[in-house]
Amino acid sequence: VGIFFSTGIGGAGGSGGAGGTINLATSDSSGFQSTTSGDQSHGLLLQSIGGGGGSGGHAYSFSAGVVFAGAVGVGGSGGSGGAGFPVNGCAGAGSSCSALTGSIATEGSDAVGALLQSIGGGGGYGGGSIAEAYAAALKGGDIPPVTISLAASVGGSGGTGGEGGAINMVSAMTVSTAGTGSHAIAAQSIGGGGGAAADSTAGANSYNNTDYTFNAAVGVGGSGGSSGNGAASNLTIQDSFTPGTQLSTLGHNAAGILAHSVGGGGGYGGVGNAYSNDASIGDTQVGLCFGVGGNGGGSGSGGPVSVTNAASITTAGSQSPGILAQSIGGGGGVAGNGGAQSAGGNYNLSVAVGGNAAEFLLALDYRTLVAMIPNRDLKESPYSMHDRYGPHVENMVFKLEE
């Protein structure tokens, strides 16, 4: 007879490292020269990529005892993704940055002439959690005819996605591509996605008691990680006048200039499960269960996009725009479900609440009550567990020069 209690805690995932700043400099008087013939063989590739966050550790807690048993489990949080740093495609850096010159030609599919990317790392996954408590009674002697079983479990949250870095390019190069999906010049700043949260399960159980039992379980899913933002993407294509800058593509889905700033998507919320089980027959048997789903992670914003072009652009394939400039906000993460179940006993209460929800269900013996907010849009209800943020799109600047 005594107090039997256990705790399990998962370790947190480590953070991803940041990518470094990229500065391209050319010293040849004839400028940059590149020719490739294979698929996915880019003429010029500059990338700064943050590392992904590590996954959180799982937790498992188990307790079994006489009269009282308690268990607590907490999953570890996912690590944050590393940031992508600025990528600069021009001759020199800072105020002395001048236009790149030369020529690039590619023949294969998905072989971009000049591809510049800064990408934030994705957040790590949260660690799952399980907590189970089992209490039993012994009849006779000085042992009280009571059993108490308590369990709580929390899933680990997803890690935050890393930020995308700024893209800057000043070019007077002539670029030609021949394959499908082979853009002449592409610049992309992309925020990392939020990590997915983990599920949790809590169970409270009682056995072999003929008088009084009390079981309570709480399971809470982890929250999805928020995502990183896209940064500014700035392209300036100048005319060299000797004989003139030209950008040309022959394949399908091959833009002359592609400029993107994209926010990452939010991570999924975890499922929260709770259950109680009474396998005895007594005068008073009470079971309480609360299952709460985790919230979805917030979306990242797209950054400003600026394209200034003075070159001649020719495209021949289908779905091949001359210039495509986009600032795109990320999608919000999906919320987790809540689940609660009570079995046995004569007084049971189960409450299940999904993430971002404004409704819940009370399940009682002999009757069921569904409680909702009347005459109100649930998404706009002040009772909502978490505000729903849509994707944010910042300003886009698009200029053509003759």
Side-chain angles (χ1 to χ4, degrees), residues 13-350:
S15 298
T21 300
I22 304 294
N23 294 308
L24 175 65
T26 59
S27 58
D28 196 321
S29 60
S30 61
F32 182 83
Q33 306 290 330
S34 176
T35 302
T36 69
S37 58
D39 293 342
Q40 300 180 352
S41 298
H42 310 300
L44 171 64
L45 175 62
L46 304 178
Q47 290 179 316
S48 178
I49 302 176
S55 296
H58 299 293
Y60 181 66
S61 177
F62 176 87
S63 176
V66 177
V67 178
F68 176 86
V72 175
V74 181
S77 298
S80 299
F85 270 43
V87 174
N88 302 307
C90 58
S95 58
S96 62
C97 183
S98 58
L100 293 171
T101 60
S103 65
I104 296 174
T106 70
E107 298 178 1
S109 299
D110 299 314
V112 179
L115 176 59
L116 288 71
Q117 292 179 318
S118 181
I119 303 174
Y125 286 17
S129 174
I130 298 175
E132 294 180 309
Y134 296 83
L138 296 178
K139 301 177 183 179
D142 297 328
I143 300 175
V146 176
T147 55
I148 300 174
S149 178
L150 306 176
S153 179
V154 180
S157 296
T160 301
E163 303 284 314
I167 304 292
N168 299 290
M169 184 175 191
V170 182
S171 173
M173 293 188 296
T174 294
V175 181
S176 64
T177 68
T180 299
S182 299
H183 312 294
I185 295 177
Q188 296 175 316
S189 176
I190 303 173
D199 301 337
S200 71
T201 298
N205 306 269
S206 289
Y207 298 92
N208 194 32
N209 184 41
T210 59
D211 290 312
Y212 306 100
T213 63
F214 179 78
N215 302 319
V218 177
V220 181
S223 295
S226 58
S227 56
N229 301 313
S233 184
N234 303 308
L235 291 179
T236 300
I237 311 301
Q238 299 178 354
D239 191 343
S240 65
F241 299 107
T242 54
T245 301
Q246 296 182 353
L247 306 178
S248 63
T249 68
L250 297 178
H252 302 306
N253 300 307
I257 298 174
L258 176 67
H260 277 161
S261 180
V262 183
Y268 282 28
V271 176
N273 292 310
Y275 72 90
S276 68
N277 179 45
D278 197 326
S280 60
I281 300 175
D283 297 330
T284 303
Q285 299 165 308
V286 178
L288 301 177
C289 293
F290 301 91
V292 181
N295 295 321
S299 59
S301 300
V305 174
S306 175
V307 176
T308 301
N309 179 60
S312 171
I313 300 176
T314 303
T315 66
S318 61
Q319 299 183 357
S320 299
I323 298 176
L324 178 60
Q326 293 178 314
S327 177
I328 304 173
V334 176
N337 298 323
Q341 308 86 30
S342 295
N346 46 25
Y347 298 98
N348 292 326
L349 171 64
S350 299

